[in-house]
Each structure stands twice: as C-alpha cells, then as structure tokens.
Amino acid sequence: MTDVANLSGPAVIASEYFHSYSVVGLLAVVGVLFVAVAFGTGRLMRPVVPTPEKLLTYECGVDPVGEGWAHTQVRYYVYAFLYVIFAVDSIFLFPWATVFAAPGYGATTLVEMFIFLGFLAVGLLYAWKKGVLEWT
C-alpha cells in the first residue's frame, strides 16, 4: 500500500490536482442539497388552501381587469437585449483602457479589442439589417 505523501513527481501533482476538483465537487453537492432541503421544507410546511381569491392575478394591489394574458411586442425584448450587449461592451472597454495604458501591452491589446468591437459591429449591423432598430 503506497501513501500519497511518500510518492514524488507526477503522482503527487495528479493527487493535488484531483483533490482540488474534489473540493469543488463537494461544494457543488452541498449547494444542491441545501437548495433541495430548502425547497422540500418549504413544500412540507406551507399551508395549501386554494381559494378563488388566491387564484386571481394580482398586481400592485389593484383588482385585475380583463384577462391575465396580454400581448407584448417582441421588439421591446430586442431593445433590452441590444442594451445588454452594449452595456457589456462598455464594461469590457474600461479595463481594456487601463491595460492598454500599461507598457508592453499596446499592440496585442489593441488588436484584441478591435476584434471584440468587430464582433459587436457585426451584431449591430445584423440588427440594423433586420430592421429592429426602427421604432415604428
């Protein structure tokens, strides 16, 4: 029987490597169990007494008028999605500016950022060609 402490070289490195993954796996299992226990406890402890009032649609203390379903145009979601894309763009541009100012990173960082901006420009061009940027 060999002990990991007596081994040297690649066996020790592999053991440490898999030990770090076992910690991550253990944390994932504990997290899943925590969520499962919380949901199970909530399901067992909550009162279940459905009444017609409880089954009504509720919004901000106002009595519902009409049906609970409303038609929403997809373009509002497209605008929100485009906003998120360009918000992420601005989040990446600020750190890029600080790295670009540091000595030794100039040309590589500049090329990488233009590739990133190129992908965003292609997405914007696609949205423009599809007509989703027109507010009508």
Side-chain angles (χ1 to χ4, degrees):
M1 181 186 321
T2 60
D3 190 10
V4 177
N6 295 333
L7 297 176
S8 63
V12 172
I13 294 172
S15 174
E16 291 175 6
Y17 177 76
F18 288 118
H19 176 70
S20 63
Y21 274 111
S22 65
V23 170
V24 171
L26 179 66
L27 284 175
V29 168
V30 168
V32 168
L33 284 175
F34 182 76
V35 171
V37 167
F39 276 114
T41 304
R43 186 177 189 105
L44 291 175
M45 295 183 68
R46 71 178 182 218
V48 182
V49 185
T51 61
E53 291 82 18
K54 287 183 180 178
L55 298 176
L56 285 176
T57 304
Y58 178 80
E59 185 173 345
C60 301
V62 178
D63 289 334
V65 177
E67 295 182 20
W69 294 96
H71 294 286
T72 304
Q73 295 186 8
V74 175
R75 70 173 168 226
Y76 299 121
Y77 296 108
V78 173
Y79 286 119
F81 186 64
L82 287 172
Y83 170 76
V84 167
I85 288 173
F86 288 104
V88 169
D89 175 37
S90 66
I91 289 171
F92 281 122
L93 282 176
F94 287 119
W96 170 78
T98 59
V99 170
F100 184 68
Y105 293 103
T108 305
T109 306
L110 186 65
V111 169
E112 289 173 351
M113 188 47 63
F114 274 115
I115 291 171
F116 176 71
L117 291 174
F119 280 119
L120 287 175
V122 167
L124 183 62
L125 182 66
Y126 176 77
W128 179 59
K129 288 286 188 185
K130 286 290 188 178
V132 297
L133 299 178
E134 297 174 7
W135 190 270
T136 56

